[in-house]
Amino acid sequence: MGKQAVKLVANNKKAYHDYFIQDKYEAGIELYGTEVKSVRMGKCSIKEAFIRIEKGEVYLYGMHINPYEKGNLFNKDPLRTRKLLLHRAEIEKLGSKIAEKGFTLVPLQVYFKGSLVKVEIGLAKGKKLYDKREDIAKKDQKREMEREMKQRFS
């Protein structure tokens, strides 16, 4: 089987800032026709989105998909709850991990894999304030080093 083209639609950079990502999963997402057209045009945001497991099924809350302009009566609510499609074993594994203290599920990115819309889910543990500060300090230090190297070789 050949590799399918992956086209990134939405990215959640804030998740990497607020959480330590332990594990990543790929899930399908249940969408309606006009929603798929909107996502294809890049009108999608997962910045405020979160994921919950309810009654053995995984749901994505807070994902915003702009209504499709030519969709009129077929358009759905932009912030409606959307079901994520995972295998039963994966759902049970994630459910047991979330039961542990401090773990949560966050959407990391939305992308097309071939013609299918996929969501990358991260099993995450929240960062403390000092961890965030440490990350910011490391980024600043790296940026300074790159700037000095650039000046030295130019």
Side-chain angles (χ1 to χ4, degrees), residues 66-131:
N66 284 0
Y68 184 59
E69 290 109 35
K70 300 176 183 89
N72 57 40
L73 77 121
F74 299 109
N75 282 333
K76 300 290 181 192
D77 176 33
L79 285 170
R80 74 178 181 84
T81 303
R82 294 171 177 88
K83 186 175 173 182
L84 295 180
L85 310 170
L86 287 161
H87 291 285
R88 173 81 41 222
E90 286 180 314
I91 294 172
E92 288 170 4
K93 183 179 175 185
L94 287 171
S96 66
K97 289 276 191 179
I98 288 174
E100 289 180 34
K101 188 174 182 281
F103 278 108
T104 187
L105 289 174
V106 291
L108 300 174
Q109 51 185 223
V110 177
Y111 55 92
F112 275 94
K113 191 171 185 182
S115 64
L116 302 174
V117 180
K118 300 286 185 178
V119 178
E120 187 175 52
I121 298 171
L123 181 64
K125 198 171 188 109
K127 284 186 181 178
K128 302 282 188 253
L129 185 62
Y130 58 84
D131 290 326

Side-chain angles (χ1 to χ4, degrees), residues 29-84:
I29 184 168
E30 191 177 79
L31 296 174
Y32 291 98
T34 56
E35 290 179 320
V36 175
K37 289 179 181 182
S38 250
V39 170
R40 200 172 289 283
M41 291 168 53
K43 311 271 186 175
C44 166
S45 171
I46 54 172
K47 282 183 174 62
E48 301 298 320
F50 61 96
I51 298 169
R52 283 203 183 129
I53 298 177
E54 296 170 1
K55 299 177 188 168
E57 294 185 334
V58 184
Y59 293 97
L60 177 62
Y61 294 86
M63 176 181 175
H64 188 275
I65 297 178
N66 284 0
Y68 184 59
E69 290 109 35
K70 300 176 183 89
N72 57 40
L73 77 121
F74 299 109
N75 282 333
K76 300 290 181 192
D77 176 33
L79 285 170
R80 74 178 181 84
T81 303
R82 294 171 177 88
K83 186 175 173 182
L84 295 180

